[in-house]
Amino acid sequence: MTTIGEMGEDALIAAFAPRLPVTDSEILGPGDDAAVVAVDGDLVVSSDILVQDVHFRMDWSSPEDVGWRAAMQNLADIDAMGAVPTALQVTLAAPASLDADWVLRFADGLREACEPHGVGVVGGDLSGARDVIVSVTVLGETHGTEPITRADALPGQLVAVSAPLGAAAAGYVQLAEGREIDAESIGLFRRPRPRIGAGLEAALHGATALMDISDGLLRDAARIARASEVGIEILGADVPLHEGARLVAIELQVDPRPWALTGGEDHAMLAVFPRASMVPGGWTVVGETTDAFAGIRVDGEEPDRLGWDHFGA
Amino acid sequence: MTTIGEMGEDALIAAFAPRLPVTDSEILGPGDDAAVVAVDGDLVVSSDILVQDVHFRMDWSSPEDVGWRAAMQNLADIDAMGAVPTALQVTLAAPASLDADWVLRFADGLREACEPHGVGVVGGDLSGARDVIVSVTVLGETHGTEPITRADALPGQLVAVSAPLGAAAAGYVQLAEGREIDAESIGLFRRPRPRIGAGLEAALHGATALMDISDGLLRDAARIARASEVGIEILGADVPLHEGARLVAIELQVDPRPWALTGGEDHAMLAVFPRASMVPGGWTVVGETTDAFAGIRVDGEEPDRLGWDHFGA
């Protein structure tokens, strides 16, 4: 094994850079003070950070998994505006003792996630740190169409999700308990596979509000409710549960509903549509907006717990 | 004291966001899945990470200093392309035990650095972590002019710096030894004050290569040499030394030249100009490019040590 400390920054970059995905939008790529990227329309930009032992464990996720996840959750953020992702800035901080091979395989994961979408890594930064930290900023473009925010839902509209929920939480529970009941949900915890393009689809179908579910359906729906100044009533029985999560819950004899309602990281899209005929095929209506109350209710009740708080207990 | 864990993510963001600088380029700011920013010309983008106990110490730098430095070194990266910075994405990872006041004062530092340049914070991310980690991505625009890279210097041209060097290193040495000999250089270590616009000035004067000095004059000049496939001869006696650094060196009875040659973080601009008449006023010629050798020489000799390696000893 060669550590990144032994290898040194310049040699590490020289080995790392050729494994990164490239994009047609790139005018000047990694290696200068800044990258230069062509933008069609306005720039859409978002950032996410992954921290060792907070967002991933080195013994649960391969380096490719970490790269994949860092890329994919950022691509979902651009899709969640109804925009098109084009490029990533990727910053890696790591201890000098980290195996250089980890960094190269991390690049492979970035490439596997990005290449099918024509997205490239155009730059970033490297640094020392006690833990492995991956910070990604994703760039996208509107192509001249209006981005869909969280703020324009109106009362009396339908709330829908693009895919079944709860797989990532079911995968996490299996890894935490050291059991493999359903391989697919473990795989989806390690490598979320949101359908990139579902957000653009919602936008083209006239969604009034749109976001991706990263911190749990309830917490994220509450964000739409607050931004749009509406209430959202979720019908618990209508929330689609991932089939693998259902199997895991049966085996563990636990209730899987919290996984679908408050488990994060599935990165399915959550959208509000004015009426049923506008909901795209394959999406599931899970509730409606109202002016009768503020915030979130599930089957008429205020939930005890919304989901993931990044600094909370 | 209220910790960020006690405060919770949503309350922290609500207190933090109003203290951030804003930009006229912002179409949609913080709070959605992504921000939307207008870009005039092509997008210029760069990222830098600051890690507690690697790039800053909580007992040496105030929260405002850390915010200032995170912003300023990123603004310098865009200036170093001859482009104009417009917006930042700022990601903060920190332990739940961190005083919430630290985060608010960090935002104040970002604002103090950015506001004079019309730069705003348009988004970012928050996360838990063992150490305080600040990851910034800066966005800028070319206004339709060509970015100046590191790669187009030719042999027989002049290498120049925009300001005296060594202040940040002299400031670091004083803090490390617990002495205050020159307050200005300590201040410049805590808050680098590169003249944003010096890079654009170099570009308008016809610079063929341009970068900011973040890892030391020799290491960074070596990067221009490599990218442009030229050699660079630095004349040690011509490298301008910051006056405060000179005073500190006299008091400590040490040679200050290594601070100017290999000390990083001054963020002065380093540029190559075709001839003396093109070097802007206030800049200092420190050497020349050549095809007689590759890499860097100082007064005819290959230096033992170039400067800062982010994973090295």
Side-chain angles (χ1 to χ4, degrees), chain A residues 9 35 37 43 45 131 135 310, chain B residues 9 35 37 43 45 130 135 310:
Chain A
E9 185 179 3
V37 178
L43 175 72
V45 56
D131 299 309
S135 178
H310 291 99
Chain B
E9 186 179 3
V37 178
L43 174 72
V45 56
R130 279 204 293 169
S135 178
H310 290 98

Side-chain angles (χ1 to χ4, degrees), chain A residues 10 26 29 59 103 134-135 140 175 178 198 222 240 260 266 268-269 276 298-299 310:
Chain A
D10 290 346
E26 176 181 303
D59 56 339
V103 180
V134 177
S135 178
L175 288 168
D266 287 316
M269 289 293 149
V298 181
D299 303 329
H310 291 99

Side-chain angles (χ1 to χ4, degrees), chain A residues 9 32-33 35-37 43 45-47 49 55 89 125 127 130-131 135 137 149-150 211-212 310-311, chain B residues 9 32-33 35-37 43 45-47 49 55 89 125 127 130-131 135 137 149-150 211-212 309-311:
Chain A
E9 185 179 3
D32 219 290
D33 296 276
V36 185
V37 178
L43 175 72
V45 56
S46 181
S47 300
I49 191 166
H55 300 96
Q89 289 279 115
D125 193 16
S127 168
R130 279 204 293 170
D131 299 309
S135 178
T137 293
T149 71
R150 304 173 181 178
M211 68 183 299
D212 81 302
H310 291 99
F311 300 115
Chain B
E9 186 179 3
D32 219 290
D33 296 276
V36 185
V37 178
L43 174 72
V45 56
S46 182
S47 300
I49 192 165
H55 301 96
Q89 288 279 115
D125 193 15
S127 168
R130 279 204 293 169
D131 299 309
S135 178
T137 293
T149 71
R150 304 172 181 180
M211 69 184 298
D212 82 301
D309 184 299
H310 290 98
F311 299 115

Side-chain angles (χ1 to χ4, degrees), chain B residues 46-95:
Chain B
S46 182
S47 300
D48 271 318
I49 192 165
L50 292 180
V51 178
Q52 179 183 352
D53 297 329
V54 177
H55 301 96
F56 65 92
R57 282 174 52 161
M58 303 292 274
D59 55 339
W60 284 7
S61 293
S62 73
E64 292 90 344
D65 291 340
V66 175
W68 172 286
R69 189 160 144 199
M72 196 57 79
Q73 67 184 40
N74 274 282
L75 300 186
D77 279 325
I78 298 302
D79 192 33
M81 301 300 289
V84 178
T86 56
L88 301 182
Q89 288 279 115
V90 178
T91 292
L92 178 68

Side-chain angles (χ1 to χ4, degrees), chain A residues 68-144:
Chain A
W68 173 286
R69 191 161 141 200
M72 196 56 80
Q73 69 184 40
N74 274 282
L75 301 186
D77 279 325
I78 298 301
D79 192 32
M81 301 300 289
V84 178
T86 56
L88 301 182
Q89 289 279 115
V90 178
T91 291
L92 178 68
S97 59
L98 184 68
D99 189 347
D101 188 55
W102 194 98
V103 180
L104 304 184
R105 292 173 57 195
F106 165 74
D108 293 340
L110 291 170
R111 192 181 65 248
E112 289 163 19
C114 288
E115 261 186 353
H117 306 288
V119 171
V121 173
V122 293
D125 193 16
L126 284 171
S127 168
R130 279 204 293 170
D131 299 309
V132 177
I133 314 272
V134 177
S135 178
V136 175
T137 293
V138 58
L139 309 170
E141 57 194 11
T142 60
H143 293 294

